[in-house]
Every structure is written in C-alpha cells, then in structure tokens.
C-alpha cells in the first residue's frame, strides 16, 4: 500500500514538473537553447574599398573567410557620421527619431538631444526580454551623462570610451575638452590598462564577458564597437611593416587601382567610373619627395590597423568555434560610415591642443605620442568609386561594407547589391529572437521601427526587402539625402536652401556627377514632396550649424 502511494506520488510530482517546465518554456519568446547568439562587429571609419573580399588590397583573411561563409552587401547604407549611425543602428530608426539629429550637438530640441531618445527602444533592452545576455566594448559616443551610459541602456556588461575617438595605447586625450579620455566599465569610471592596444584589449574584454556566462546556456548579444581604424593612426610595427612601399605611387593611383579591383570582385558594376576628386585634395605629383614619403606612411599605418582589426575578428570567431558557440551565432560585420577625411592636427580649434600633446614627425608616426590622420586624399581612394567621404550625404559618405555570416544565413559566398540600411539590423535581430516591437515602453509611446528584417535575404535568397516605393532619408548639419528606388535627392551645399537640391538617377551611374533635376522635373517635385513630408515627420530643424563647424567626430 505504501509502495503504491509513493508510486502515485512520484507520478504526480513528475507530471507537475513537466507541466511547470512546459509553462516556463512557453513563457519566453524563444528558449535559450534555440535562440541564436548575435555578434555585431562595427569598425570605426573603415572604408568601403579596404577589405580583400570587396576587392581591396589590405590583407583581411578572417573577414574574407566570413564573406565566403555568408553574404557581402555592396549597397549597405549608414549615416555620414559615427554617432549618428550608432543611434540608428541601436534603434532601428531615423537619426532624429533616435535623438541624434546632429552629432555632438546637445540641445533641448526634440531630435537633437545628443543621446538616445525615449522615442526608441535600444536593441539590448528589448533583447533582454528574450533572455539575452548583452555586452558591449569599444566606442559608445551616444551621450556623456550617467543616464546615457550603455549600462543604463540595456547592456549588462560594458567597457567603453564615451568620446568619439581615443588614443589607441593610453588614456591620453585627443580632444581639448577631455585631456584624459573618459572610460567606464558597467557604468563606473574605469582606467585604461597601461600598454594595452585598443583592438586587442576590447577583444580580450568581450571574450571575457561572453565566457563569464557561457555555462548558463542563455543566448548573448555582443556589440564589438571597435575604435579602429579611426584616427589617430597608431598600431604596432609588425602590422604595418608588411605594407611598407605598397602605397608609394600615391592616392590617385590607388583610387584607380581599387576601381578596377572592385569591378573584378563583382562588388561594383563593370561600367562604374570615378567621380571628380574633392577640390581640397592636393595632387600627388605636386608633393615633394619628403611629403610623399610621409603620405605613403599614413596609408601603411592605416592598412596595419585594418590588418590588426582583421586579426582580432579572427580571434573572436576562433573563440566561438572552440567553445561550440559558432554554429548558433549570427555574425554581422559593418563599418559605420564612409572613409574619414578629417585632419584635426592642423585645424584651428583642435590643432593647438594636439600639437602641444602629440607629434606628427615621420620618425614617430604610429606610436602612442603620434597623432596622424590620412586625410581626404586617401579617403578618396577608400571610397572608390563613390563621391567624397565621411561627413557628406553623398554615396561616398554613407556607403559601407557589410558581411553577414553564421547561424541563419543559408546563402554562402554571395554578393547582394540591393539597397539596405543600418536601420534594417534591429528588425533582423528581433525577428531572430522572435520578439514583437511594442508600441510603448516604460509607460511612454515609442515610434515604430523604420527598417525591415534582412532574413528574407539571408534565409530565402530574396533579392530585395525594400521596393521602389520605400523612402530612406537623412539630414545632418544641413546636408540632406533622400533615396526612393533608383532616385536620389541630395544637398551638400551651404547655406541650406532647397534651390540647391540635386537629383540623381543611380541606375545610370553611381558617381553622382550628372544632376538630372532639370531633365526630370516631375520626379524632382515628387522627391521634394517626399523630403518635406519626411522632414516634418521626424522634426528636422533648419538652418543647422554651418557644415562641420567646430564639431567633433
């Protein structure tokens, strides 16, 4: 009798346990065992034409392997500046909606808060609802207040520099208002480890974060926001010495070579041509031998930084494979904008501080005490075949490389030439996590997502997610663009005035050299109306600060 009673007791207990387990598993959008990990890797100011898999000349074997295992996107569009892209990336929405209407301009005007707004939900906050661990390392650049810190925006663990750039070897500041670069770990002030190199250290830190919770089997969202190859150009000699002499022919020759190598790689159309150089670029042949030597070294250092970045991406991938995590991890690699043309060492505002605290002598280039940028001349080669570079709403300022590989990518070694944007990443991650984007958050209404999931491309091989009626637009410091299908509305002229708007048909040419505003007046009026509708809906304010005036990257 006692044995029979115990038998019934254990059966009931087992049944209750099973029911509890079933209820618990159904209460989560995705069970931790099935939800994919997400690794988002962002390079800072990496140019479109750098990577080997895109036809570039820099050695990037780790990223090239990722490209073979996944998809390269040749028409991935960002914002023209770092912080603006990051706001759009982490929100899945337009920069004004996300609070970053102008980089580093902090105001009380909606759209220009200078930090993530309450009109959006940051990716890590929502992913936490699906049981994700959330980690970030590297560059934050989305607000300096304690309440803007990644620790308060959904990141469980973080080690970041709060500014738009930093010395790669020390906490020595690079901006006059921050003589010592501010770092935080998990929201608390942190010190930079003496002698550590940025990309190496951030990789170590991110791996340690993932490893700290690996045994609990919960999925993770890891955001590797590297500060490389952002200026100042600093890297150990072992990474740049292999490129010594490679760029002695100059930036104009490299630009032409990359035009052809990108064609050969299938990244750009075979009929693509080079636009006119920006007028501030000094012809290579007009430089003295000493000036040419120094210019070539700039590009060698930049290539060495990209080389080191690729090495560390390889370290992340190797770690995932060694720990059995790779098979269930979606890996997204992107850059945040076009190639960087700034050279603050000689600017009227930044120059005095930098010249007092750094050197630009040839003998010390690349070291901790050296401040070097590669300027508009090499940036033009980096954005080949597109017009101009970072800071502009031209294609050269807003087009960047993107590679997606790993879990849930069923297409391999493919090139997708359909138009996609940085705002498409958040919807992709949410669909993977089986999450619905809510209409309100923490008691406040939020704007709906402006992007679309990339999964139809990644899994089904579809050619596009945005049809010819989709509108993508952006304003920053008076420079504007609006894209609708093959048509692009553009203004890069100051002061801001609608009479300066231009119209381009990008199906004919990608170089934005032939303004067809007069030829297609009806199409121009159509896009102008789209612009007016968009600018009112997101709260664009004009006039804005004069283009590039006194603002940091």
């Amino acid at each position: 009798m006692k044995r029979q009673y115990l038998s019934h007791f254990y059966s009931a207990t087992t049944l209750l346990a099973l029911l509890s387990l079933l209820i618990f598993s159904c209460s989560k959008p995705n069970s931790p065992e099935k939800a994919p990990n997400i690794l988002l890797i962002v390079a800072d100011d990496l140019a479109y034409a750098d990577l080997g898999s895109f036809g570039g000349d820099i050695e990037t074997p780790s990223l090239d392997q990722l490209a073979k295992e996944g998809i390269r996107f040749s028409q991935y569009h960002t914002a023209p500046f770092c912080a603006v892209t990051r706001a759009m990336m982490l929100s899945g929405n337009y920069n004004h909606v996300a609070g970053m209407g102008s980089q580093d301009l902090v105001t009380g005007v909606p759209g220009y808060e200078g930090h993530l707004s309450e009109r959006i939900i940051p990716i890590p906050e929502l992913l936490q609802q699906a049981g994700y661990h959330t980690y970030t390392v590297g560059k934050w650049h989305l607000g300096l207040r304690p309440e803007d810190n990644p620790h308060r925006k959904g990141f469980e663990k973080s080690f970041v520099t709060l500014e738009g750039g930093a010395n790669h070897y020390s906490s020595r500041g690079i901006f006059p208002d921050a003589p010592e670069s501010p770092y935080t770990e998990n929201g608390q002030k942190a010190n930079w480890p003496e002698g550590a190199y940025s990309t190496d250290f951030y990789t170590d830190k991110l791996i340690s974060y993932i490893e700290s919770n690996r045994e609990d089997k919960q999925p993770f969202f890891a955001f590797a926001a590297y500060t490389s190859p952002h200026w100042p150009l600093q890297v150990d000699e072992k990474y740049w010495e292999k490129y010594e002499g490679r760029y002695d022919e100059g930036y104009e020759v490299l630009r032409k070579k990359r035009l052809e190598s990108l064609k050969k790689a299938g990244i750009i159309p075979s009929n693509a041509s080079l636009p006119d150089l920006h007028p501030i670029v000094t012809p290579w042949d007009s430089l003295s031998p000493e000036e040419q030597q120094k210019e070539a070294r700039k590009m060698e250092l930049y290539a060495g930084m990209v080389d080191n970045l690729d090495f560390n991406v390889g370290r992340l991938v190797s770690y995932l494979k060694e720990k059995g995590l790779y098979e269930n991890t979606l890996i997204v690699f992107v850059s945040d904008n076009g190639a960087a043309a700034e050279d603050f060492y000689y600017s009227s505002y930044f120059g005095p501080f930098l010249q007092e605290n750094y050197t630009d002598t040839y003998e010390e280039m690349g070291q901790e005490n050296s401040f070097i940028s590669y300027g508009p001349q090499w940036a033009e080669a980096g954005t080949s075949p597109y017009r101009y570079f970072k800071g502009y709403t031209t294609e050269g300022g807003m087009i960047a490389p993107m590679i997606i590989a790993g879990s849930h990518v069923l297409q391999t070694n493919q090139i997708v030439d359909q138009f996609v944007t940085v705002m498409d990443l958040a919807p992709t991650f949410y669909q993977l996590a089986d999450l619905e984007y809510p209409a309100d958050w923490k008691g406040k209404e939020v704007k709906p997502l402006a992007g679309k999931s990339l999964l139809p491309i990644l899994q089904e091989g579809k050619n596009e997610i945005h049809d010819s009626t989709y509108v993508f637009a952006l304003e920053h410091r008076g420079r504007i663009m609006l894209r609708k299908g093959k048509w692009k509305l553009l203004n890069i002229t100051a002061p801001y005035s609608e009479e300066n708007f231009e119209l381009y048909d990008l199906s004919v040419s990608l170089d934005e050299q032939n303004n067809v505003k007069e030829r297609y007046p009806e199409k121009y009026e159509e896009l102008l109306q789209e612009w007016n509708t968009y600018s009112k809906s997101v709260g664009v304010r004009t006039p804005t600060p004069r283009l590039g005036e006194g603002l940091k990257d």
Side-chain angles (χ1 to χ4, degrees):
M1 183 70 178
K2 186 177 181 181
R3 183 178 298 174
Q4 185 179 11
Y5 171 80
L6 288 173
S7 176
H8 285 302
F9 174 79
Y10 287 130
S11 297
T13 302
T14 303
L15 180 60
L16 284 171
L18 289 172
L19 285 171
S20 298
L21 182 61
L22 179 62
I23 291 169
F24 177 77
S25 64
C26 291
S27 67
K28 287 183 174 292
N30 247 323
S31 63
E33 291 78 14
K34 293 183 179 180
N37 306 310
I38 300 168
L39 173 59
L40 174 59
I41 306 171
V42 179
D44 199 354
D45 288 353
L46 178 76
Y48 181 80
D50 288 337
L51 305 181
S53 62
F54 274 68
D57 54 278
I58 301 175
E59 296 174 27
T60 54
S62 299
L63 288 164
D64 296 349
Q65 183 60 36
L66 272 185
K68 289 180 182 178
E69 297 173 6
I71 299 174
R72 286 163 284 170
F73 289 79
S74 66
Q75 287 293 308
Y76 167 70
H77 284 71
T78 65
F81 273 107
C82 309
V84 188
T85 291
R86 282 163 170 73
M88 295 169 72
M89 178 180 290
L90 290 178
S91 68
N93 222 310
Y94 292 104
N95 60 315
H96 289 79
V97 175
M100 200 61 66
S102 184
Q103 180 155 296
D104 294 310
L105 180 64
V106 180
T107 74
V109 178
Y112 298 85
E113 292 94 338
H115 55 78
L116 293 179
S117 76
E118 294 183 342
R119 296 179 295 276
I120 59 93
I121 308 171
I123 288 174
E125 283 195 25
L126 200 53
L127 285 180
Q128 283 184 329
Q129 303 304 300
Y132 274 73
H133 289 299
T134 54
Y135 317 120
T136 188
V137 295
K139 176 170 164 176
W140 181 238
H141 206 190
L142 291 171
L144 297 171
R145 304 177 308 169
E147 58 265 42
D148 301 327
N149 193 274
H151 189 61
R152 300 279 291 274
K153 296 299 178 181
F155 282 106
E156 178 183 336
K157 295 185 178 183
S158 62
F159 191 106
V160 296
T161 175
L162 301 176
E163 292 276 5
N167 190 302
H168 293 281
Y169 284 106
S170 72
S171 59
R172 184 197 302 224
I174 62 173
F175 299 121
D177 57 355
E180 182 175 341
S181 293
Y183 291 92
T184 65
E185 184 165 23
N186 303 332
Q188 301 300 313
K189 186 179 185 300
N191 296 318
W192 185 257
E194 185 176 353
Y197 182 70
S198 63
T199 316
D200 300 338
F201 172 71
Y202 289 135
T203 303
D204 291 341
K205 183 64 73 170
L206 189 60
I207 289 174
S208 73
Y209 287 164
I210 298 172
E211 183 66 16
S212 68
N213 292 312
R214 179 171 59 86
E215 295 297 334
D216 69 12
K217 306 298 182 183
Q218 286 183 258
F220 63 78
F221 170 64
F223 179 28
Y226 289 119
T227 54
S228 182
H230 191 288
W231 41 260
L233 303 183
Q234 299 170 330
V235 70
D236 291 355
E237 185 175 355
K238 67 178 180 180
Y239 290 105
W240 67 257
E241 63 183 354
K242 69 175 73 172
Y243 299 98
E244 197 166 7
R246 184 174 297 190
Y247 304 108
D248 288 353
E249 294 177 300
Y251 31 79
E252 291 151 312
V253 170
L254 179 62
R255 187 171 182 247
K256 292 176 181 177
K257 284 184 175 180
R258 285 185 166 182
L259 175 70
E260 298 308 316
S261 62
L262 266 65
K263 289 180 182 179
K264 187 176 180 180
I267 295 295
I268 60 175
S270 59
N271 64 346
S273 58
L274 290 174
D276 294 336
L277 282 167
H278 195 288
I280 64 174
V281 174
T282 302
W284 179 263
D285 290 343
S286 69
L287 302 178
S288 68
E290 292 76 20
E291 290 172 326
Q292 289 181 351
Q293 182 185 42
K294 188 173 183 179
E295 283 296 326
R297 177 56 50 83
K298 290 180 182 180
M299 189 60 203
E300 292 164 8
L301 290 171
Y302 176 87
M305 292 181 74
V306 176
D307 195 296
N308 170 268
L309 173 68
D310 181 81
F311 170 74
N312 278 285
V313 170
R315 289 180 60 208
L316 284 174
V317 173
S318 294
Y319 166 78
L320 295 177
K321 290 181 177 179
E322 289 169 5
K323 301 301 181 179
L325 299 170
Y326 180 79
E327 291 74 18
N328 194 38
T329 301
L330 181 79
I331 302 174
V332 179
F333 176 87
V334 296
S335 181
D336 60 351
N337 43 242
E342 307 101 327
D343 193 350
F344 286 172
Y345 194 83
Y346 298 103
S347 76
S348 58
Y349 176 72
F350 298 99
F353 170 80
L354 292 174
Q355 291 167 24
E356 182 180 348
N357 292 278
Y358 288 90
T359 179
D360 74 334
T361 60
Y362 178 77
E363 292 74 20
E364 296 180 87
M365 286 174 68
Q367 299 177 24
E368 186 272 343
N369 64 329
S370 170
F371 193 100
I372 295 292
S373 309
Y374 79 174
Q377 55 275 21
W378 292 109
E380 285 277 26
T383 58
S384 178
Y386 298 104
R387 183 183 180 190
Y388 298 162
F389 32 72
K390 175 182 175 182
Y392 285 92
T393 47
T394 56
E395 292 296 280
M398 296 180 63
I399 197 165
M402 178 164 74
I403 299 170
I404 303 183
S407 175
H408 294 270
V409 180
L410 304 183
Q411 314 298 314
T412 59
N413 200 25
Q414 299 293 311
I415 299 173
V416 170
D417 60 5
Q418 297 301 313
F419 178 82
V420 297
T421 85
V422 64
M423 298 189 303
D424 298 326
L425 294 177
T428 305
F429 301 158
Y430 296 148
Q431 187 175 359
L432 280 173
D434 198 20
L435 277 171
E436 293 290 335
Y437 194 79
D440 56 77
W441 188 252
K442 296 181 179 178
K444 295 187 178 182
E445 182 181 350
V446 293
K447 297 292 185 181
L449 294 169
K452 290 187 177 181
S453 172
L454 295 165
L455 287 192
I457 295 176
L458 304 181
Q459 296 183 343
E460 303 167 28
K462 289 189 177 180
N463 289 329
E464 64 180 19
I465 57 172
H466 300 300
D467 62 23
S468 61
T469 65
Y470 177 74
V471 172
F472 172 71
L474 186 138
E475 180 273 339
H476 188 263
R477 301 178 188 170
R479 291 172 177 158
I480 73 104
M481 59 78 60
L482 183 141
R483 181 77 177 265
K484 186 176 183 181
K486 67 178 184 177
W487 301 98
K488 181 175 180 179
L489 193 69
L490 177 71
N491 176 63
I492 56 173
T493 304
Y496 174 94
S497 174
E498 284 188 2
E499 68 182 21
N500 294 323
F501 284 15
E502 302 166 351
L503 179 68
Y504 294 98
D505 180 354
L506 297 182
S507 70
V508 175
S509 178
L510 299 173
D511 58 14
E512 297 172 293
Q513 296 293 287
N514 184 23
N515 180 10
V516 295
K517 174 179 174 179
E518 302 299 331
R519 189 184 307 174
Y520 300 100
E522 292 183 359
K523 182 57 67 174
Y524 172 74
E525 289 298 328
E526 176 191 334
L527 265 66
L528 185 60
Q529 182 57 48
E530 294 279 15
W531 168 254
N532 289 329
T533 300
Y534 164 82
S535 61
K536 289 177 183 177
S537 70
V538 302
V540 171
R541 301 291 184 95
T542 54
T544 58
R546 280 186 286 174
L547 305 183
E549 179 183 75
L551 291 168
K552 296 181 296 185
D553 169 33

